[in-house]
Amino acid sequence: MPSNKSVSDAPIVQFTNCRILRDHQLQREDLWVREGKILNPEKLFFDEKGSADIQLDCKDSIITPGFIDVQINGGFGVDFSLATDDFKAGIDLVSQKILSHGVTSFCPTLVTSPPSVYHQVLPQISVRNGGAHGAGVLGAHLEGPFISKEKKGAHPEHCLRTFEAGAFQDLLATYGTLDCVRIVTLAPEMRRSSEVIQELTKKGICVSLGHSVANLSQAEEAVQHGATFITHLFNAMLPFHHRDPGIVGLLTSDKIPAGRRVFYGMISDGIHTNPAALRIAHRAHPKGLVLVTDAIAGMGLAPGRHTLGQQVVEIDGLNTYIAGTKTLSGSVATMDTCVRHFQEATGCSVETALEAASLHPAQLLGIEHKKGTLNYDSDADFLMLNDNLYVQATYIAGEEVWRQDASGM
């Protein structure tokens, strides 16, 4: 075959014998990768007269874009809401460990904390690409402290804050920096929240509505000012009521600005949301559903006592409670578990379940041109799965970063 070296010296890898998730369908075709990007084979053949340098037999695996977790509080003994001297080592550990669960990018999430914690932790979070060292960091998700006392959930009440006269300045003073911040969860019924939502949106930060007693009109107003996400739908918000469905009503609201999509996170762990509630949300607004783990430090560890920011939590099976209460506090589910449970609970297609953990979070963050799809020229972050949606191998920028060994570990 003619050489392809005229365009690039980088090797071309052809993944064969696989089913690729592309254009919302599993398609039986090969995946071509060069220099960390998905390659268009037609251009390679006809423009460059090139061919593959390496061929890899995928043994009939499903190839799907890597999962993106936009709400993860920690895991494997690491709590992102604790200001420690080795905080960066904690980020590194979690980013390495979640590769085996198919997560190739994530947003480290901080729950409501004192300003001193934000000032210490946020400068230590930096946006970075994934690789052999672990999943990529897309920026921080700050969940609180500007949330409702009535729906605080596992957030410490003494750290909650309201917006005063200089609303956006209050937020800046609390967090210290917004340099690495990607998502902020707040309660839209708070006074002056509209101006805060507008300012955050101007800075390209995604505003999420959660831990809130907002009615539907307050939620719609927040969306009109730029909010695009709902934090863990159904959890820590007013329950659905037929005369005023509250934040949940955004899923079928006719007051969403033209061209705007509201996304919503769901913790599909079999604990936080009844399967019937998962089905209701998915059928009402399938294109907005984003699977999140909301995982805490105890993910990957034995049951017992662990932390979530300022609180002590107890893990009992898959249940996590604030110690001494029955208040749920995050989950210990991994993203691949959430994908499988979602598919089983809703009866949706494999493609739909996979896109809820890849395409939809990428669209939420406005990065779907490079993450969350296997389109040509997008980042070659992908997974090999078996038919039961268990992760067999994880690739970032076209490089294998994790593989299940022969013993099944």
Side-chain angles (χ1 to χ4, degrees), residues 2-266:
S3 168
N4 53 52
K5 302 305 184 207
S6 59
V7 171
S8 171
D9 288 334
I12 295 167
V13 183
Q14 178 187 6
F15 294 82
T16 66
N17 189 15
C18 53
R19 289 159 290 157
I20 303 174
L21 178 56
R22 185 177 281 153
D23 295 330
H24 317 297
Q25 296 288 327
L26 284 177
Q27 306 185 14
R28 189 162 283 285
E29 54 184 81
D30 295 349
L31 185 75
W32 298 73
V33 175
R34 176 170 63 192
E35 292 188 302
K37 301 285 185 188
I38 308 289
L39 200 57
N40 181 344
E42 286 196 10
K43 281 189 177 175
L44 174 67
F45 302 149
F46 297 115
D47 298 352
E48 300 180 33
K49 308 288 190 282
S51 61
D53 298 293
I54 304 162
Q55 283 190 326
L56 290 175
D57 182 350
C58 301
K59 301 182 175 151
D60 204 34
S61 295
I62 292 170
I63 292 189
T64 181
F67 299 149
I68 299 169
D69 194 351
V70 300
Q71 186 175 7
I72 171 170
N73 310 290
F76 315 99
V78 175
D79 184 344
F80 296 144
S81 302
L82 284 185
T84 57
D85 293 337
D86 59 351
F87 182 84
K88 284 186 175 173
I91 288 263
D92 291 346
L93 176 71
V94 173
S95 66
Q96 178 69 51
K97 292 275 196 181
I98 57 181
L99 293 175
S100 65
H101 300 291
V103 178
T104 54
S105 304
F106 70 110
C107 293
T109 303
L110 278 71
V111 296
T112 295
S113 304
S116 58
V117 169
Y118 298 115
H119 291 207
Q120 203 172 333
V121 167
L122 289 181
Q124 298 188 70
I125 297 176
S126 47
V127 174
R128 69 181 189 200
N129 292 327
H133 58 275
V137 177
L138 298 170
H141 177 170
L142 305 182
E143 188 188 358
F146 302 99
I147 58 173
S148 157
K149 189 160 52 168
E150 294 87 343
K151 291 292 178 185
K152 64 182 186 297
H155 293 236
E157 188 170 327
H158 70 277
C159 294
L160 299 183
R161 300 174 81 87
T162 55
F163 297 123
E164 303 305 329
F168 189 65
Q169 292 309 312
D170 295 338
L171 179 138
L172 280 178
T174 300
Y175 295 147
T177 177
L178 294 174
D179 288 351
C180 66
V181 175
R182 202 59 186 264
I183 304 173
V184 171
T185 294
L186 53 77
E189 71 274 14
M190 298 181 82
R191 284 177 64 249
R192 303 183 182 278
S193 65
S194 293
E195 56 193 271
V196 171
I197 292 169
Q198 287 173 306
E199 288 294 329
L200 288 170
T201 305
K202 269 188 218 162
K203 292 182 175 293
I205 294 170
C206 166
V207 176
S208 189
L209 311 180
H211 288 276
S212 163
V213 293
N215 59 33
L216 178 56
S217 65
Q218 289 168 325
E220 288 170 334
E221 187 182 346
V223 170
Q224 285 153 11
H225 284 113
T228 54
F229 195 39
I230 303 170
T231 295
H232 45 53
L233 185 77
F234 297 126
N235 296 114
M237 61 187 59
L238 290 179
F240 178 89
H241 189 282
H242 57 283
R243 277 193 291 279
D244 192 335
I247 289 176
V248 177
L250 288 175
L251 271 59
T252 57
S253 168
D254 58 0
K255 304 277 196 311
I256 307 299
R260 176 90 53 81
R261 186 185 303 178
V262 174
F263 293 89
Y264 57 98
M266 293 205 81

Side-chain angles (χ1 to χ4, degrees), residues 308-322:
L308 176 60
Q310 311 296 302
Q311 310 269 44
V312 176
V313 298
E314 289 177 332
I315 297 176
D316 177 12
L318 282 176
N319 293 289
T320 64
Y321 303 113
I322 295 178

